[in-house]
Amino acid sequence: MNAESTVIDPISAEAGEPGFTIVREFAAPRARVWEAWTNPDVMARWFHPETLVTPRESVSVDLRVGGEYTYTMRIPDTGQEFPTAGKYLHIDEPARLDFTWGSPGDVDNAPRMSVALEEIDADHTRMTFTLIGLPNDSGSDASAYDGWSSAFNELGAELGS
């Protein structure tokens, strides 16, 4: 795949803008972690907190700068759904992916995320995930920080880490 490395709107925090960073290491090659972030089949298996599911048919990816992705998380017991979408801002395969994350129809004004993948060695990758536009509200009922941290537990399970 020939992903573009052009930047639409680089991810950076404005003074006083809320945000947080989560760093995780995975026992998986960088290319495999990259695929987990960009392949709809793999995304469906982990792109949700541990108590939710993401049906494969809800995941679409247009992996190009300016392209959009969509997915819907679902609570299995109640069927309540959380449609989600974003726009890719920067693609530097397999090192960095910047994108927005919000509701369908409002991807341009949504919080911004960056996923930086650093190869530790051939079989280990350090992922630095940064979200700008939402606070580190760990412990609150609808915490983005806790949700992503839980999703990264799912990602670790998917990668066998």
Side-chain angles (χ1 to χ4, degrees):
M1 174 183 296
N2 184 13
E4 299 177 42
S5 61
T6 307
V7 175
I8 287 183
D9 181 22
I11 182 166
S12 59
E14 302 284 327
E17 193 171 12
F20 57 85
T21 297
I22 299 172
V23 178
R24 293 276 179 103
E25 291 186 7
F26 299 107
R30 183 164 68 163
R32 188 149 177 251
V33 181
W34 176 267
E35 179 187 36
W37 279 97
T38 59
N39 180 315
D41 294 328
V42 183
M43 290 170 66
R45 295 193 296 262
W46 77 268
F47 225 64
H48 51 261
E50 293 163 293
T51 58
L52 280 68
V53 296
T54 299
R56 169 57 186 97
E57 65 273 9
S58 77
V59 184
S60 69
V61 171
D62 181 6
L63 187 62
R64 62 184 175 84
V65 172
E68 295 186 11
Y69 68 91
T70 61
Y71 67 101
T72 300
M73 296 177 288
R74 181 180 299 143
I75 299 174
D77 294 345
T78 66
Q80 182 179 2
E81 294 187 337
F82 305 93
T84 308
K87 179 184 284 188
Y88 293 108
L89 305 174
H90 177 83
I91 300 169
D92 181 11
E93 183 177 358
R96 185 170 170 159
L97 187 65
D98 293 354
F99 52 96
T100 62
W101 178 67
S103 299
D106 193 27
V107 297
D108 291 321
N109 299 313
R112 300 171 319 280
M113 299 183 175
S114 178
V115 177
L117 302 176
E118 176 187 352
E119 186 175 73
I120 297 171
D121 60 36
D123 297 317
H124 295 86
T125 303
R126 178 177 298 112
M127 178 190 75
T128 302
F129 170 87
T130 302
L131 186 149
I132 296 173
L134 291 174
N136 178 347
D137 54 357
S138 183
S140 70
D141 286 343
S143 168
Y145 181 93
D146 292 344
W148 278 106
S149 186
S150 178
F152 297 149
N153 292 339
E154 293 284 294
L155 175 56
E158 171 64 28
L159 295 170
S161 295

